[in-house]
């Protein structure tokens, strides 16, 4: 909460909160009170909180509130309300994100419902800004005014965003889902790195539509989206999107969050099979091409203010204090520098767009109020956030731009270099994020000396710098010319903060993922980047930009140049290398020891039952709030999560719902582990249910799901670390074990039978080995093939902990990417 006196906020126009949304907020408030009183656990509350767009911070007891701003469009009236809430309930600062949202940090849980109501009164929401849902739909901040656009994508972005908000189809996805729309080939919205990317196109006959790509994403395994439809007619836009989401919802990996994004579904199926599944889903959802209803667009009012005395060349007379064309002694004035870097001519004659450079996306409440006033004074009261963490004011009469500059300067908002290389993008990092490893903002401040605002030479035009505090790529470091993401590196008894340097990434019509070139200690990054630029200027060809230079010279040569900057002195020689930028304490990382495979498997089972409880918890709340269709979805997910939890004991991670039910029936239910009434689950649960369902039906499915989850919990409660489930009654003959998959040829094995677990991650490789050994007699041997890294470190240790003998442990090939382990079973 801001420590000073509350800001004086002008009157804000509000409207009554719709009853359904008011009830939704009341529900959140009631559950938050139950959490505080101890009536509900934090584990159950967490996914519920995330669904409402509220994140826990790395600091205990406070929340981050993420406000959804579809396509970045926000009015002056709405911005005033955000400023008021930031001042009263947060730190007095708003943070613009790379998805065009606005975040408030350090909010107490008790104040969150008040913030939600304040936002709802002006047409804003936090709903589904987080969690496994469709996140904020982004679009180019110049949509509607861009001189190169095919058409204005604003109404389409708005329609898609609000169609999917609170939509039962997107409430319990396997992982987050991102959509972006761009209006021109420059692709400012970065469509190739999204789950669905939509690029405006026009056919030869003049009909407009979208080029649709699918399966993009960054994070630890970046992927470029692939072409799904060369031309998507406007009226088929919503059905086409829904069908993609349906395929993802059905086939996405719900057990391993690291493999849960849609790009991994495409990796597994292959794109042609994914496309076939999408076509089948399109038809199955009742979208019979080409008969369908025309799209119903949501309008967005963005009329320009009137020009005063327009001239033939498009200039106007207005309230500006000067024409800005003169120089002082041949030197560029501060205004001219700002105008050169921050002002863009619109396609509408006489109007310009001005970019407000927000340092790492931060803007104070006082500045928000001032910007709201200026948007109404110089424009039409509308603003846009940008994916580069800035704000823009559009529709400014060109002759008033110098007057606007003066007023922005009075608020500390007239820095040059908006959206250019000096406008460094950085995620919150360890400042607030629970996943952050390094201080990305601290490094960005350090790099400000390398790229001084407004004074960066022209040879770095088109270059960008993006910094993520971990591999999740919230700052999109994979697609920047110079990208950095934080890691830790153990050196003896200490850990030093490092950054992996990615070079040559871009999105300009097509996407290119930057190459990881070298790992640098955090304190050496500014010097290393300075040297990289010096090498570029030393060795470049005529008229060659830095991106072209990186592509021509290649990773290896640049790595050689940067190797000296990778050296870290011993702690005793220079302890500053073991402190992060702006860090006051020595850098540390949590380190987990090896040999805990059994514990990992138990954790997977416990997490599965917890996930089922979380889904049931939300199903109950949804029924009470008359959202029956979504409640049925949650009940279905609860059954699925509990079934998958028990299948861990069989060493299985089914990739589809249908496979889960089949395997559960043959491996678990038929053995009598759960009561007979839970056999043939697929027939009893069915799909997600009809779009419209009754309260009676929703409650019936919820009760069935609760009974099933309780039965699974009982089974796991009786299970020990041996992962053996007990039957509750006489059982039928167990199903035969699944055949071992064949793998590529490898060196000649020992005489023992081979179990090839290359490509199987921990702890499932241990579970599979354990089950195999259980079918063998004491004294028999088994040769297990494992990957390097965690598998070879953990599995042998875990088998030793179980009492078995490890006779041989050696590499399968010279590169030591795979290992053979010879195990002898020891009797019970």
């Amino acid at each position: 909460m801001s420590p000073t006196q509350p800001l004086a906020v002008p009157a804000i126009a509000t409207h009554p909160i719709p009853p359904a949304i008011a009830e939704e907020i009341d529900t959140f408030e009631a559950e938050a009170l139950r959490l505080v009183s101890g009536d509900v656990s934090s584990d159950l509350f967490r996914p519920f909180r995330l669904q409402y767009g509220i994140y826990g911070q790395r600091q205990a007891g406070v929340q981050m509130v993420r406000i959804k701003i579809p396509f970045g469009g926000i009015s002056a009236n709405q911005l005033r309300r955000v400023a008021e809430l930031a001042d009263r309930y947060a730190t007095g600062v708003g943070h613009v994100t790379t998805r065009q949202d606005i975040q408030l940090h350090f909010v107490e849980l008790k104040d969150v419902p008040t913030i939600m109501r304040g936002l709802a009164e002006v047409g804003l929401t936090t709903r589904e800004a987080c969690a496994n849902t469709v996140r904020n739909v982004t679009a180019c901040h110049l949509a509607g005014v861009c001189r190169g656009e095919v058409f204005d994508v604003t109404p389409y972005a708005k329609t898609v965003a609000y169609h999917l908000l609170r939509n039962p189809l997107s409430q319990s996805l396997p992982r987050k889902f991102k959509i972006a729309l761009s209006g021109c080939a420059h692709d400012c919205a970065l469509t190739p790195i999204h789950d669905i990317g939509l690029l405006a196109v026009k056919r030869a006959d003049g009909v407009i539509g979208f080029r649709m790509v699918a399966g993009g994403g960054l994070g630890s395994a970046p992927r470029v989206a692939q072409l799904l439809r060369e031309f998507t007619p406007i009226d088929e836009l919503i059905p086409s999107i829904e069908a993609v989401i349906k395929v993802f919802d059905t086939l996405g990996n719900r057990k391993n969050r690291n493999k849960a994004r849609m790009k991994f579904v495409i990796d597994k199926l292959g794109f042609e099979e994914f496309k076939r599944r999408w076509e089948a889903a399109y038809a199955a959802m009742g979208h019979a091409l080409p008969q369908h209803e025309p799209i119903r667009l949501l309008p967005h009012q963005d009329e320009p203010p009137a020009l005063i005395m327009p001239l033939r060349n498009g200039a106007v007379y207005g309230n500006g204090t000067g024409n800005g064309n003169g120089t002082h002694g041949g030197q560029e004035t501060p205004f001219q520098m700002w105008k050169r870097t921050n002002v863009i001519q619109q396609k509408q004659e006489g109007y310009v767009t001005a970019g407000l450079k927000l340092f790492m996306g931060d803007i104070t409440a006082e500045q928000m109020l001032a910007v709201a006033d200026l948007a109404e004074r110089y424009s039409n009261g509308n603003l846009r956030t940008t994916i580069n963490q800035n704000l823009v004011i559009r529709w400014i009469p060109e002759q008033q731009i110098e007057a606007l500059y003066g007023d922005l300067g009075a608020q500390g908002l007239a820095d040059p270099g908006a959206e250019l290389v000096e406008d460094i993008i950085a995620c919150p990092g360890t400042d607030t994020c629970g996943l952050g490893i390094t201080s990305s903002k601290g490094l960005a401040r350090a790099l400000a000396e390398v790229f001084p605002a407004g004074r960066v030479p022209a040879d770095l035009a088109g270059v960008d710098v993006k910094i993520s505090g971990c591999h999740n790529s919230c700052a999109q470091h994979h697609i920047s010319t110079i990208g950095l993401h934080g890691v830790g590196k153990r050196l003896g008894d200490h850990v030093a903060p490092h950054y992996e340097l990615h070079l040559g990434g871009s999105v300009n019509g097509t996407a290119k993922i930057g190459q990881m070139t070298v790992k640098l200690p955090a304190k050496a990054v500014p010097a290393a980047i300075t040297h990289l630029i010096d090498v570029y200027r030393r060795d470049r060809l005529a008229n060659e930009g830095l991106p072209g230079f990186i592509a021509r010279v290649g990773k290896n040569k640049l790595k050689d140049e940067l190797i000296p900057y990778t050296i870290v002195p011993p702690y005793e020689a220079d302890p500053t290398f073991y402190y992060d930028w702006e860090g006051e304490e020595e850098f540390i990382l949590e380190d987990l020891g090896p040999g805990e495979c059994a514990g990992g498997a138990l954790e997977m089972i416990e997490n599965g039952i917890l996930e089922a409880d979380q889904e049931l918890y939300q199903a109950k709340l949804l029924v009470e709030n008359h959202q029956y269709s979504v409640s049925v979805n949650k009940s279905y997910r609860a059954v699925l999560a509990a079934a998958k939890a028990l299948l861990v004991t069989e060493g299985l991670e089914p990739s589809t719902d249908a496979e889960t039910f089949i395997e559960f029936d043959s491996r678990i239910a038929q053995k009598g582990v759960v009561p007979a009434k839970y056999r043939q689950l697929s027939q009893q649960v069915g799909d997600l249910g009809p779009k419209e369902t009754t309260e009676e039906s929703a409650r019936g499915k919820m009760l069935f799901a609760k009974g099933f989850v309780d039965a699974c919990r009982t089974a796991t409660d009786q299970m020990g670390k041996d992962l053996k489930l007990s039957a509750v009654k006489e059982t039928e003959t167990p199903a035969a074990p699944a055949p071992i998959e064949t793998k590529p040829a490898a060196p000649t094995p020992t005489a023992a039978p081979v179990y090839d677990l290359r490509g199987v991650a921990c702890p499932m490789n241990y579970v599979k080995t354990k089950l195999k050994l259980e079918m063998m007699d004491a004294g028999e041997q088994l040769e297990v093939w494992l990957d390097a890294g965690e598998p070879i470190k953990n599995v042998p240790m875990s088998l030793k902990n179980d009492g078995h003998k490890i006779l041989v442990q050696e590499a399968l090939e010279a590169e030591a990417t795979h290992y053979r382990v010879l195990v002898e079973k020891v009797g019970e």
Side-chain angles (χ1 to χ4, degrees):
M1 185 180 297
S2 180
T4 58
Q5 290 294 321
L7 285 176
V9 181
I12 295 172
T14 62
H15 56 73
I17 302 174
I21 295 177
E23 186 178 34
E24 182 179 280
I25 298 171
D26 291 344
T27 300
F28 182 92
E29 185 171 43
E31 293 307 302
L33 291 173
R34 291 183 64 209
L35 174 72
V36 173
S37 65
D39 292 337
V40 63
S41 72
S42 59
D43 284 338
L44 283 176
F45 184 71
R46 185 183 304 112
F48 174 75
R49 163 173 57 76
L50 289 171
Q51 200 88 4
Y52 280 76
I54 313 301
Y55 262 117
Q57 293 185 192
R58 69 188 299 125
Q59 296 86 0
V62 290
Q63 318 294 318
M64 178 269 280
V65 175
R66 180 177 289 163
I67 306 166
K68 256 187 168 178
I69 314 291
F71 65 89
I74 187 168
S75 69
N77 188 65
Q78 291 172 326
L79 189 61
R80 289 191 184 99
R81 175 51 56 91
V82 173
E84 178 185 42
L85 298 174
D87 179 66
R88 293 185 181 179
Y89 303 110
T91 59
V93 176
H95 176 74
V96 178
T97 76
T98 55
R99 292 213 65 75
Q100 298 179 289
D101 298 311
I102 297 178
Q103 293 176 178
L104 308 180
H105 293 92
F106 293 93
V107 176
E108 295 184 34
L109 183 61
K110 66 181 179 63
D111 294 325
V112 170
T114 303
I115 291 176
M116 289 177 171
R117 292 187 181 100
L119 294 171
E121 288 178 341
V122 295
L124 294 174
T125 186
T126 63
R127 177 76 189 224
E128 295 158 41
C130 310
N132 298 330
T133 59
V134 176
R135 300 292 183 87
N136 194 42
V137 175
T138 58
C140 176
H141 58 277
L142 295 176
V145 301
C146 173
R147 289 181 291 177
E149 70 183 3
V150 178
F151 59 88
D152 182 7
V153 300
T154 299
Y156 304 96
K158 185 173 183 178
T159 301
V160 169
Y162 285 99
H163 175 78
L164 295 174
L165 182 65
R166 300 182 177 89
N167 190 316
L169 181 65
S170 57
Q171 296 303 297
S172 293
L173 297 176
R175 199 69 174 86
K176 57 189 174 185
F177 195 92
K178 298 180 178 180
I179 301 173
L181 297 88
S182 281
C184 73
H186 185 67
D187 201 356
C188 297
L190 312 177
T191 59
I193 63 165
H194 285 76
D195 294 286
I196 293 179
L198 298 161
L199 188 66
V201 291
K202 182 185 290 187
R203 291 193 318 213
D205 59 4
V207 176
I208 62 171
F210 288 94
R211 184 179 188 270
M212 186 176 189
V213 295
L218 298 179
S220 60
R223 299 286 189 278
V224 175
Q226 300 181 60
L227 181 62
L228 186 65
R229 296 190 75 177
E230 187 67 52
F231 185 84
T232 306
I234 293 301
D235 290 340
E236 295 173 17
L237 178 61
I238 296 295
S240 296
I241 292 171
E242 286 186 335
V244 173
I245 295 173
K246 178 66 174 176
V247 174
F248 175 50
D249 187 51
T250 303
L251 300 179
N253 187 334
R254 295 180 184 273
K255 293 305 297 180
N256 184 351
R257 283 175 59 85
N258 295 326
K259 298 288 184 181
R261 292 291 299 274
M262 194 174 75
K263 58 190 176 183
F264 296 111
V265 174
I266 293 173
D267 282 353
K268 183 171 183 177
L269 293 178
F271 195 76
E272 288 307 311
E273 176 62 15
F274 174 83
K275 187 173 182 179
R276 188 190 69 77
R277 300 285 185 104
W278 167 77
E279 290 169 346
Y282 192 103
M285 295 175 77
H287 306 306
L289 290 172
Q291 288 92 20
H292 43 69
E293 293 184 3
I295 192 169
R296 299 173 183 174
L297 291 177
L298 298 178
H300 179 69
Q301 301 301 319
D302 196 26
E303 289 77 16
L307 289 175
I308 303 172
M309 296 178 63
L311 301 179
R312 291 181 182 178
N313 63 2
V316 296
Y317 292 114
N319 298 326
T321 57
N323 59 23
N325 293 327
T327 60
H328 296 287
Q331 297 295 316
E332 192 176 42
T333 67
F335 166 64
Q336 290 169 334
M337 181 186 296
W338 177 84
K339 184 178 180 183
R340 170 175 56 81
T341 61
N342 292 42
V343 177
I344 299 171
Q345 292 285 337
Q346 294 186 186
K347 66 180 180 182
Q348 296 86 2
E349 266 193 272
Y351 293 99
V352 295
T353 292
L356 281 58
K357 182 185 173 188
L358 308 181
F359 188 63
M360 288 181 291
D362 291 344
I363 180 170
T364 68
E366 293 93 335
Q367 288 173 326
M368 283 188 256
L369 292 177
V371 169
D373 290 344
L374 296 178
E376 289 179 337
R377 184 184 311 163
Y378 291 100
S379 181
N380 58 6
N382 286 339
L383 302 105
R384 302 255 178 135
T385 56
T386 83
I387 63 170
N388 288 324
Q389 301 178 299
N390 292 315
L391 276 168
V392 297
I393 303 175
R394 299 140 50 103
W395 295 108
I396 304 164
E398 188 171 7
Q399 204 67 10
Q400 297 189 30
I401 196 65
E402 190 168 2
L404 172 63
Y405 168 76
D407 287 336
L408 288 172
Q411 302 298 325
L413 290 170
D415 288 343
E419 309 278 310
L420 301 179
V421 62
E422 57 263 52
D423 195 3
I424 296 171
I425 308 302
C427 72
T430 51
D431 284 13
T432 56
C433 179
L435 300 177
I437 295 173
T438 55
S439 176
S440 41
K441 282 191 168 184
L443 177 58
R445 281 185 276 269
L447 286 174
E449 296 183 11
V450 180
F451 302 102
R455 300 192 301 277
V456 177
D459 61 359
L460 294 181
V463 171
D464 54 359
V465 180
K466 300 176 187 285
I467 309 171
S468 298
C470 72
H471 68 267
N472 285 314
S473 198
C474 293
Q476 302 169 341
H477 61 268
H478 289 103
I479 54 166
S480 62
T481 316
I482 300 172
L484 297 141
H485 89 261
V487 295
K489 184 176 181 180
R490 180 169 292 282
L491 298 166
D493 295 331
H494 301 272
V495 180
H498 278 64
Y499 283 88
E500 292 190 358
L501 174 64
H502 302 251
L503 295 176
S506 65
V507 174
N508 190 358
T510 59
K512 181 180 179 182
I513 302 299
Q515 284 192 301
M516 206 296 279
T517 303
V518 72
K519 187 181 293 185
L520 299 164
K523 288 300 174 72
V525 170
I529 299 302
T530 299
H531 181 68
L532 172 69
I533 295 170
D534 289 343
V535 171
Y536 155 63
R537 289 172 176 153
R538 182 191 73 196
D539 298 342
R540 65 188 175 188
L541 302 178
N543 301 317
E544 185 175 43
L546 180 59
F549 172 78
I550 291 171
R552 177 177 63 82
V553 171
K555 167 182 172 179
N556 292 336
K557 178 173 174 53
L558 294 175
K559 181 177 181 179
D560 290 344
E561 288 282 354
L562 295 171
I563 284 295
Y565 298 91
T566 66
I567 298 169
V568 181
Y571 182 83
E572 295 74 20
D574 190 349
T576 63
F577 275 77
Y578 299 83
Y579 286 72
D580 206 349
W581 283 101
E582 302 177 359
E584 297 179 356
E585 297 178 353
E586 185 180 341
F587 185 79
I588 59 171
L589 276 181
E590 213 174 282
D591 189 20
L592 302 178
E596 294 297 323
C597 292
L602 288 169
E603 185 178 9
M604 287 179 68
I605 295 167
E606 291 168 0
N607 287 343
I609 299 297
L610 173 60
E611 179 184 345
D613 285 336
Q614 292 169 340
E615 297 285 6
L616 278 174
Y617 169 73
Q618 295 193 60
K620 179 176 180 292
L621 293 176
L622 289 162
V623 165
E624 292 171 352
N625 286 282
H626 319 299
Q627 298 182 44
Y628 305 127
S629 296
V630 184
S631 174
V632 169
N633 180 296
K634 295 293 184 182
S635 296
Y636 174 87
R637 293 296 168 202
V639 172
L640 193 65
K644 286 188 173 184
L646 266 62
L647 284 173
V648 171
T649 65
E650 295 291 320
L652 296 176
E653 287 186 287
S655 58
T656 67
D657 297 3
E659 184 183 353
T660 298
F661 293 136
I662 291 169
E663 294 291 353
F664 184 89
D665 192 59
S666 64
R667 307 268 187 153
I668 306 294
Q670 297 296 336
K671 293 180 181 178
V673 173
V674 295
K677 64 180 180 180
Y678 297 120
R679 296 181 183 179
Q680 303 297 327
L681 273 180
S682 60
Q683 296 179 17
Q684 299 195 62
V685 177
D687 200 351
L688 301 183
K691 291 186 178 180
E692 299 294 331
T693 188
T694 64
E695 179 179 359
E696 181 180 0
S697 172
R699 288 190 180 277
K701 292 197 174 187
M702 183 176 66
L703 289 174
F704 176 87
K706 186 179 187 307
F708 177 76
V709 173
D710 287 342
C712 292
R713 190 194 337 275
T714 300
T716 60
D717 287 345
Q718 297 170 355
M719 177 189 69
K721 285 193 174 182
D722 60 359
L723 306 182
K724 291 182 179 178
L725 297 172
S726 302
V728 295
K729 64 173 189 174
E730 285 294 316
T731 65
E732 299 173 8
T733 303
I740 300 170
E741 289 182 34
T742 58
K743 297 285 182 79
T748 304
T750 62
V754 173
Y755 199 18
D756 188 352
L757 294 178
R758 291 175 295 171
V760 181
C762 296
M764 295 307 293
N765 44 21
Y766 161 76
V767 176
K768 290 176 180 287
T769 304
K770 181 179 178 64
L771 292 170
K772 194 72 173 175
L773 288 169
E774 287 177 359
M775 296 186 288
M776 300 171 64
D777 295 328
E780 288 189 311
Q781 296 178 359
L782 176 68
E783 180 175 329
V784 183
W785 291 355
L786 299 165
D787 293 334
E790 293 298 311
I792 192 59
K793 183 171 71 172
N794 289 334
V795 175
M797 184 74 74
S798 296
L799 294 173
K800 283 183 182 179
N801 292 343
D802 290 345
H804 302 299
K805 294 180 181 179
I806 304 299
L807 305 178
V808 177
Q809 181 173 319
E810 61 184 12
L812 277 171
E813 65 282 293
E815 295 79 6
T817 55
H818 306 98
Y819 286 78
R820 65 154 58 98
V821 177
L822 187 61
V823 188
E824 180 177 314
K825 179 174 179 177
V826 175
E828 315 230 329

